[in-house]
Every structure is written in structure tokens, then in C-alpha cells.
Amino acid sequence: MSSLILFINTQEARLYHLDPNGLTTQKIFLKGPKHPVETAAKNHPIHETDEERLYHTVCHKLEKVSAQEWLILGSGPGPDHFMNHLKKHHPKLSHRVLSVQKIPFLTEAQMLDRGRAFFRQIHVFQSL
């Protein structure tokens, strides 16, 4: 079975697809200029925020992922904002999320170790 670790904040996302064949990594950054109102730190409810554009891009990529179990990691408000976006705009995808965890800054190796340990623990409990 394949699993996905998603690290997300309000400016970038990194997808780590774990399967029996190894690890596939994909990084997603917000492309294009920031919306002028975003850079001025003002809300603009009529227009889609830069954060929302990033989340739509991530969800578009996640729709193509075969992994059925996801762990979402991140710092700051990113993971919570992404989960709210996922539930509102992509409810079918939100059922794949097993856990959302706020983490301090970790290296990529530390994050992968944490994700692998999480999925090992989940699989042990599923076998009981």
C-alpha cells in the first residue's frame, strides 16, 4: 500500500509519496506574482487569495495520487487552513487524511522519519 506525506504551509507544499518501489518527491510553489493586496496584508474577499491558489494547485496534484492514506505535516496555520480548504472544496479527498500534525521546523530526513514511523504505527494497529 502506498502512503503520502504532505508538508504544507501558506507558501509551499512538498509531497512525499511512499510506496514499495521507493520514494517520489514533488515540490509545489506558488507561481506568478503575488496579488497586490496580499503583499499589503489586507484581506480581499472578492478575489481568491494567494494561499487559496496554492491549495487549489496542491489539490489538483493530489487528485492524481494513488496513495489512499495521507499524513499532513506543517507549521503555522498552513495545515489547518489546507484541511479547511480540502473539506470545503474537495470533500472526497479529505477522507484520505489520517492525521494533521503541527510540527516545528524539521529537516527533510527528520520529516520522512516521522512520517514513516506514523504509518508503521498505523499499520500495526490495523493488523490487530
Side-chain angles (χ1 to χ4, degrees):
M1 175 180 281
S2 63
S3 306
L4 180 94
I5 301 168
L6 169 64
F7 172 82
I8 193 159
N9 59 34
T10 57
Q11 299 178 9
E12 71 169 313
R14 289 181 259 159
L15 284 71
Y16 302 97
H17 191 188
L18 307 166
D19 62 23
N21 299 325
L23 172 70
T24 306
T25 304
Q26 185 175 16
K27 295 181 181 183
I28 302 169
F29 297 97
L30 192 59
K31 293 183 181 175
K34 286 191 139 230
H35 191 287
V37 179
E38 282 288 304
T39 56
K42 297 177 183 175
N43 287 334
H44 50 99
I46 296 172
H47 302 289
E48 183 179 75
T49 64
D50 294 326
E51 187 178 322
E52 285 290 309
R53 282 190 336 181
L54 173 67
Y55 296 159
H56 279 299
T57 303
V58 171
C59 288
H60 179 71
K61 299 284 184 189
L62 289 174
E63 288 173 346
K64 299 175 184 174
V65 170
S66 62
Q68 294 297 310
E69 52 186 26
W70 301 350
L71 169 63
I72 297 177
L73 301 175
S75 58
D80 294 330
H81 289 183
F82 179 73
M83 270 309 294
N84 291 337
H85 174 88
L86 200 61
K87 289 176 182 176
K88 181 178 178 182
H89 298 286
H90 307 275
K92 290 182 182 179
L93 293 178
S94 68
H95 297 295
R96 295 183 184 184
V97 176
L98 300 181
S99 179
V100 177
Q101 299 178 10
K102 295 237 181 154
I103 58 171
F105 178 78
L106 299 175
T107 65
E108 188 171 66
Q110 290 170 326
M111 194 171 11
L112 288 171
D113 287 345
R114 186 178 189 137
R116 286 182 175 119
F118 171 81
F119 287 118
R120 272 195 300 276
Q121 185 178 22
I122 292 293
H123 295 149
V124 165
F125 285 117
Q126 287 175 347
S127 65
L128 295 178

